[in-house]
Amino acid sequence: MSMRPVGLPEIPAQTVMVARAAFPKGSLAIRVRNRLAEVFTDEPFSAAFGVRGAPGLSPGVLSLVTVLQFAEDLTDRQAAAMAVRAIDWKYALGAELTDTGFDASVLSRFRTRLADNGMERVVFDRLLEHCKEAGLVAAGGKQRTDSTHVISAVRDLNRLELAGESVRAALEALAVAAPVWLAGQIDVTEFAERYGPRVDGWRMPPSQTRRDRLAQVFGQDALALCRAAWAEDAPGWIREIEAVHLLRQVLVQTYIIRSDTRGRQVIRKRDADDGVPPGQLRLASPYDRDARWAAKDDDLFWMGYKIHLTETCTKLPDADADADAVAGAGAGAGAGVMPNLITDVHTTDATVPDVKATAPIQKNLAEREVKPAEHYLDSGYPSADLITKALKQGIRMVTPVLLDRSAQAKAAEGFDKNAFTINWKTRQVRCPAGKTSSHWNPVKQHGTDAIVITFSVLTCRDCPFQKQCTTSKTGRRMLTLRPEELHENLARARAEQKTDTWKNKYALRAGVEGTINQALDITGIRRARYRGLPKVRLQHAFSATALNVIRLDAHWTTDPLDRPRHSRLERLSYRLSA
C-alpha cells in the first residue's frame, strides 16, 4: 500500500449546501473541518506508507474519522456508518453526498499501522502545535496532572485459568500456522476435547484435589509443547510465534520442574514458598502481553494499565459581574477565557507507580515546548530527587511531599529529624542535648544517595533524653539524611505545605479530577479498547485529542458560564472544578 500526500479533499459544493441547511448553527464535525483542517494532513504519516503499490485511503482523513469517533465514543462499525449517513461528517471529510464510505476494518488496519510505526501521538502533537501557534498553550503558567486505572480488554484469569488458557492459545495459533507439525507432536483428538472450549473457572471441578490434578495436566501439556517447539529438529519460526513464546513464560512463572530421587523430571505448580516473578514481569493473560495486575489501597484491584493526563489550568473569573462582562466580549472569542487543554497523555502498565511517571511527563512537556512554571500533582508523584531536578529545569512542583516517617515523627513525641542541627561543612549533627554525632557515612539506599548519621553508644547511654530520642536495642540514635540540596528542598517543602497560603494554592489541582471524569464519560478510557500497550497508548492519545477538540469547540462557540440552561449552583460547580 502506498500514499500520495493530498490532505483533506476539498468539500464538494453540494455537500456544503446541504450541510449548511441541515446544521444552520454548525456542529462539532463542521467546526473541526473549518478551523483545524491543517492538523489532519498526510505528510506526518509518510514514513508508515510506501511509495509503491496501490494507493490507500488518506491517513489524514482516517485520523479525522478516528478523532470524531472518540469524541462520540463510537465503535469502528458505527464510525464507518457515520461517514456514510451523517451530513456533517461528510462535510468534515470532504465527501460527496453519494460517497459510500469505507469498510470498518480500514480503521483497525490504520491503527495497527500507526502503532507498528510509533505514530500513536502524531495527531495529538499536531493539534498541540496548532494550539501553541494560536496562543492557547504556551510554556510557563500552571499545569496539573493526575492518573486513573484502565481495565484491559481481555478477561481476568486466575493462575489455574491462565495456565490452561495459555496452552489453548498456543494450540490455536499452531493449528493455523503449523497444522501438520502440530499433528505430529500431540494427540489432536485428546487435546481438542480438553482445550476446545475456553478454559473457564465455572466449568472446572469443584474439589481442590481435582483442581490440583487439572493444574498438573495443564503443566505437563505446556511442558510437552515447549519441548517440542524448542527441539533441535523443530522449525525455528515455531518459537517466534507470540502465543508459543508467552506459553513458555507462563510455564516458568507458574510451575517448577525438578528431578525426583529416580532422576525423572517432575513438574508441580508453584506455591507461596516457591515465589513468583515480580508484578511488572508477571504475565496476566496470553492474549495481552502488556496487561498487569495492580492494586491501590485496599479497595482497588485491577488488571490492565494506567493513564496520566496533564492539562493547563487557567482560573475562571470569580464574580458574576466578571462573568457577565466576559460573556459580553463575544462568543466567537471563546468568551475571553483560555480553555484548559490537555498537554500530555502518558500510558504505562498498571504496576508503574506515579512517582516513576513524573520525570517522563515533564520531559515530554519540555520537548514540546509547553513546560509549566508550576506543576500541580498529588502526593504519589514527588520525591526529593524529582523536586530538585524539576527546580533546576525551571519547574516548581506544587505537591504534598511525604512527611517524616520516623517513629518519633509519627508518634508526635520525642525528637524527630527537625530537632537535630546539621552542619554540612563539618559533616556533623548536633542533637537536642548538645552532643555531636560520631559517624557520617555516605551510602546508597535503593539506588539513591543517602547519609547515615550515627551517635556513639557512650554519648547516648547517659543522656537524660535517651527514651525520648531512641528505642533501639543498642541505645544510640541513628539518622538517615539525603544529600544537602535534596534535604533542604524536602524540608522547605514540608514546612511550606503546612501553611494556609499553600493549601489555598494547591486547591487548583482538584480540577484535574473533572478532566478524568470527562475522559471516562465521553471517550470511555476506563476500559482499553485494544490489546497491547502500543495500541492502548494510541487509544489514549486519540482520546486526549478528542477531549481537546471538544474543549476547543466550546471555546469557539460559547462560554460555559454563559449557558442559560445552567443554574447558579452548576455555574459555581464549574468555577470550583476549573
Side-chain angles (χ1 to χ4, degrees):
M1 182 178 294
S2 63
M3 182 187 74
R4 308 291 186 266
V6 292
L8 297 180
E10 185 177 350
I11 309 172
Q14 190 176 16
T15 303
V16 173
M17 180 182 65
V18 174
R20 287 177 178 173
F23 298 91
K25 294 184 179 180
S27 71
L28 173 65
I30 291 174
R31 285 186 287 271
V32 167
R33 173 58 194 257
N34 291 340
R35 291 176 175 266
L36 299 175
E38 64 272 20
V39 173
F40 302 97
T41 58
D42 291 342
E43 286 81 1
F45 302 98
S46 59
F49 292 82
V51 295
R52 301 177 61 184
L57 290 176
S58 164
V61 170
L62 293 178
S63 62
L64 176 54
V65 170
T66 306
V67 170
L68 295 176
Q69 173 188 4
F70 278 86
E72 300 188 29
D73 196 16
L74 305 177
T75 65
D76 287 351
R77 291 184 181 275
Q78 291 170 331
M82 287 290 284
V84 175
R85 69 188 183 203
I87 300 301
D88 56 340
W89 277 49
K90 284 184 176 292
Y91 179 97
L93 303 178
E96 296 281 357
L97 294 179
T98 56
D99 189 283
T100 57
F102 50 84
D103 189 80
S105 62
V106 170
L107 293 174
S108 176
R109 294 198 296 269
F110 174 64
R111 290 191 302 268
T112 300
R113 188 176 289 269
L114 294 188
D116 291 345
N117 289 273
M119 295 183 173
E120 301 93 341
R121 289 176 56 115
V122 167
V123 179
F124 176 81
D125 289 338
R126 284 189 61 80
L127 180 59
L128 185 62
E129 189 66 29
H130 173 84
C131 293
K132 284 168 53 183
E133 294 174 357
L136 298 174
V137 178
K142 302 175 182 179
Q143 296 184 34
R144 54 196 178 195
T145 299
D146 200 11
S147 67
T148 190
H149 65 285
V150 178
I151 301 172
S152 67
V154 296
R155 64 190 177 102
D156 297 346
L157 300 172
N158 59 37
R159 292 181 65 207
L160 180 57
E161 291 172 327
L162 175 60
E165 193 64 25
S166 297
V167 177
R168 178 174 177 268
L171 290 171
E172 290 290 309
L174 289 169
V176 175
V180 176
W181 178 87
L182 180 63
Q185 304 298 323
I186 64 171
D187 184 335
V188 176
T189 303
E190 178 186 349
F191 274 63
E193 181 179 353
R194 188 179 305 153
Y195 298 104
R198 74 177 189 176
V199 179
D200 196 323
W202 292 104
R203 292 196 293 267
M204 289 186 180
S207 71
Q208 187 61 46
T209 301
R210 294 179 64 187
R211 282 175 176 259
D212 292 341
R213 173 57 187 159
L214 185 59
Q216 189 80 7
V217 171
F218 288 159
Q220 291 170 348
D221 291 344
L223 180 59
L225 271 180
C226 287
R227 282 177 172 169
W230 269 266
E232 293 184 359
D233 59 344
W237 56 269
I238 293 286
R239 297 186 285 272
E240 297 177 3
I241 298 175
E242 184 179 35
V244 175
H245 181 71
L246 295 182
L247 174 63
R248 189 184 192 188
Q249 289 185 247
V250 172
L251 178 63
V252 171
Q253 75 180 34
T254 309
Y255 295 92
I256 290 180
I257 303 172
R258 291 178 178 171
S259 299
D260 60 12
T261 55
R262 297 182 180 181
R264 297 176 301 180
Q265 284 192 332
V266 178
I267 184 171
R268 67 174 180 83
K269 189 178 177 183
R270 289 178 181 267
D271 55 30
D273 296 332
D274 297 317
V276 293
Q280 65 268 28
L281 300 178
R282 189 163 62 248
L283 291 178
S285 171
Y287 304 109
D288 189 344
R289 64 183 308 161
D290 298 319
R292 294 291 184 269
W293 282 105
K296 184 177 182 180
D297 301 326
D298 297 327
D299 56 351
L300 180 58
F301 189 56
W302 81 100
M303 182 179 75
Y305 303 90
K306 187 185 290 186
I307 180 175
H308 304 260
L309 292 176
T310 303
E311 68 170 354
T312 58
C313 45
T314 305
K315 274 197 171 184
L316 295 176
D318 292 328
D320 284 341
D322 292 337
D324 294 338
V326 166
V337 178
M338 296 288 284
N340 291 338
L341 299 176
I342 297 173
T343 54
D344 186 69
V345 53
H346 184 68
T347 306
T348 67
D349 70 67
T351 63
V352 178
D354 289 351
V355 69
K356 295 293 185 181
T358 306
I361 290 171
Q362 293 178 348
K363 180 182 178 182
N364 287 339
L365 296 174
E367 289 177 349
R368 287 159 180 81
E369 299 180 349
V370 289
K371 180 176 64 176
E374 292 184 350
H375 195 183
Y376 291 75
L377 310 111
D378 66 25
S379 59
Y381 288 93
S383 70
D385 301 83
L386 291 171
I387 292 173
T388 301
K389 182 179 178 181
L391 282 173
K392 292 179 179 179
Q393 297 174 347
I395 302 175
R396 183 172 181 269
M397 292 173 60
V398 182
T399 173
V401 298
L402 295 178
L403 300 177
D404 186 356
R405 305 306 297 170
S406 64
Q408 295 83 355
K410 288 191 288 186
E413 296 179 356
F415 305 121
D416 59 13
K417 291 179 183 178
N418 292 332
F420 292 77
T421 303
I422 305 171
N423 190 323
W424 297 97
K425 292 184 178 179
T426 62
R427 303 178 73 179
Q428 286 187 322
V429 175
R430 185 177 296 276
C431 74
K435 305 297 183 180
T436 58
S437 59
S438 57
H439 295 90
W440 177 290
N441 298 317
V443 298
K444 283 276 188 181
Q445 291 185 345
H446 306 292
T448 60
D449 293 326
I451 302 169
V452 176
I453 310 298
T454 309
F455 285 83
S456 171
V457 175
L458 299 178
T459 300
C460 295
R461 181 184 299 166
D462 300 326
C463 179
F465 305 114
Q466 185 187 38
K467 292 184 178 180
Q468 296 173 262
C469 190
T470 182
T471 57
S472 70
K473 295 181 180 179
T474 59
R476 63 177 180 177
R477 181 64 185 267
M478 297 180 65
L479 297 174
T480 301
L481 307 176
R482 300 304 309 277
E484 181 177 5
E485 185 179 17
L486 303 183
H487 177 86
E488 297 297 339
N489 288 336
L490 194 58
R492 190 183 306 112
R494 285 172 174 167
E496 188 180 40
Q497 71 187 41
K498 296 178 181 179
T499 64
D500 291 337
T501 302
W502 185 91
K503 292 177 182 178
N504 293 333
K505 184 177 185 178
Y506 183 66
L508 185 62
R509 190 213 69 86
V512 73
E513 303 286 353
T515 297
I516 296 291
N517 287 333
Q518 185 183 32
L520 297 177
D521 294 340
I522 295 179
T523 66
I525 64 167
R526 174 66 73 220
R527 288 190 173 274
R529 290 184 174 216
Y530 319 117
R531 293 180 289 181
L533 189 55
K535 284 194 175 181
V536 175
R537 283 176 174 158
L538 181 143
Q539 173 191 345
H540 292 166
F542 273 104
S543 295
T545 306
L547 290 180
N548 277 345
V549 165
I550 292 171
R551 292 182 174 193
L552 286 171
D553 184 59
H555 176 68
W556 296 329
T557 53
T558 182
D559 181 66
L561 300 178
D562 192 37
R563 295 175 183 172
R565 66 177 181 273
H566 282 179
S567 68
R568 292 183 181 274
L569 182 61
E570 288 174 319
R571 294 167 70 180
L572 174 61
S573 175
Y574 187 92
R575 289 197 191 95
L576 295 177
S577 67

